[in-house]
Each structure stands twice: as C-alpha cells, then as structure tokens.
Amino acid sequence: RLLEDLLDISRINSGRILLEREPTDLGRVLESAIEVARPLVEQRAHTLEVHLPDPPVMLDADPLRLSQVFANLLTNAAKYTDPGGRIEVFTERVAGEIRVTVRDNGIGLEPQALEQVFQRFAQVRGSLDRSQGGLGIGLSLVRGLVRLHGGWVRAHSAGLGHGSAFVVGLPLPPQPPAQAGTQSKQPR
C-alpha cells in the first residue's frame, strides 16, 4: 500500500496518472471508502456518523481514485483520534460543487500546520506520540487526486486538542438544459 501511494504521488507529479472518469455515484464512493477504513475505526472503538447525499449526487469522476481520497481521510481521522472518539462524514451542495467533510474530535492541528499537512513527507510535531503515525504521504496524495478531479481540499482545526475537519470540494457536472414541454408555434 505504501509503495503504491509513493508511486501514485510520483505519477501525479509527473503528469502520468490518468483518471478513468465515468458517471459516479458519490454515495457509493463514500460507502466504499468507509469499508476500507472500517477495521481501524472499529479497532479504535470510534463512533462513525455518515450522512450520504440525498438526493444522490452523480459526478464525472474516477470512482476508485475518489474512494482512495476518502478512505485516506477516514483512516487519518481514525488514527489521529483517541480511542472512543467521534468521526463524522457529511456533504453539502454549494454553488456548482459538492463538498464532503470528514470531521473528527481528535488531536487537532496547530494553525501553521493546516497547509503543511498536504506537503509530501510532512510530519506534524506533537501528533506522532498520540497516534499510529505515518510517513506523511497520504494527504499529499489526497490533494493530488482531488486536483486531478478539478477540485480542492482544505484542513480546518481550532487548534491542538480540538479535532480537525478536512473538506473536499468537487465540481458538479453541468445540468442539461430543461427540455421544453411544448414547442411554441411560429407565426404565419
């Protein structure tokens, strides 16, 4: 898994990764990501609350890569939240995009770390002693894959000890124009 993530980051940085876009149900992507993260969530006895989009949201996306994004965010939330913590996933539509938030009540981030966490091999000081640690490539991969989908990702936290939230914004496909129910008659 680690080797694959490193290779994916290298492919993204060199422009050699191709998305296999198709009509994609965001709810199914999130369900798939949850299944990947579920063993760690259960092992750490977290409460996981998920609010899938209603009505369903269809995206023009690579479902495997998008699932990889959210599985990574969920796994990080589980790792950086003390046992018995809370993780929440919810979506909202905002001005032509869908936003997916993964929020936890974990160890949180200092303000200066909110952008740093997306850099390759970044380690946030003070967090490794309270988590399972990592090599600092997961969030870099998340940002790269989200950008390839035309989206963005941001981290939010009120500071250490106050949890964190990662928000992914993805463009919604344009809606086809409404079909006219009747054709207007031309003057003769």
Side-chain angles (χ1 to χ4, degrees), residues 51-174:
H51 304 275
L52 295 177
D54 185 28
V57 171
M58 295 301 291
L59 300 173
D60 176 32
D62 182 326
L64 293 175
R65 294 299 186 175
L66 218 46
S67 179
Q68 187 177 7
V69 163
F70 296 114
N72 203 313
L73 293 176
L74 284 162
T75 300
N76 273 1
K79 287 192 322 188
Y80 293 99
T81 300
D82 286 335
R86 179 178 175 79
I87 301 168
E88 184 179 10
V89 179
F90 59 92
T91 63
E92 66 179 325
R93 296 171 200 257
V94 179
E97 68 183 12
I98 187 76
R99 294 182 184 173
V100 179
T101 300
V102 177
R103 180 171 45 206
D104 63 62
N105 65 347
I107 63 174
L109 295 165
E110 294 175 326
Q112 66 272 20
L114 294 176
E115 185 60 30
Q116 176 190 346
V117 295
F118 294 106
Q119 296 171 8
R120 235 178 325 166
F121 307 117
Q123 291 290 334
V124 178
R125 266 187 326 177
S127 64
L128 290 179
D129 56 337
R130 295 187 56 203
S131 74
Q132 295 182 12
L135 294 178
I137 61 171
L139 291 175
S140 176
L141 179 60
V142 163
R143 178 170 271 178
L145 290 173
V146 168
R147 284 181 174 169
L148 285 175
H149 281 88
W152 53 267
V153 60
R154 293 186 192 114
H156 302 276
S157 179
L160 290 178
H162 296 283
S164 57
F166 287 82
V167 183
V168 174
L170 295 165
L172 290 169

Side-chain angles (χ1 to χ4, degrees), residues 1-89:
R1 171 79 187 188
L2 175 62
L3 183 57
E4 277 301 312
D5 285 353
L6 284 169
L7 289 172
D8 283 345
I9 288 175
S10 175
R11 289 180 194 118
I12 289 169
N13 289 336
S14 65
R16 293 181 304 154
I17 197 165
L18 295 175
L19 297 180
E20 295 185 24
R21 290 180 179 265
E22 61 186 63
T24 301
D25 181 339
L26 178 60
R28 289 200 175 154
V29 166
L30 292 172
E31 288 170 350
S32 174
I34 289 164
E35 287 309 308
V36 170
R38 188 173 305 283
L40 182 57
V41 169
E42 289 176 353
Q43 174 190 343
R44 295 182 59 85
H46 295 315
T47 299
L48 176 61
E49 187 173 327
V50 179
H51 304 275
L52 295 177
D54 185 28
V57 171
M58 295 301 291
L59 300 173
D60 176 32
D62 182 326
L64 293 175
R65 294 299 186 175
L66 218 46
S67 179
Q68 187 177 7
V69 163
F70 296 114
N72 203 313
L73 293 176
L74 284 162
T75 300
N76 273 1
K79 287 192 322 188
Y80 293 99
T81 300
D82 286 335
R86 179 178 175 79
I87 301 168
E88 184 179 10
V89 179

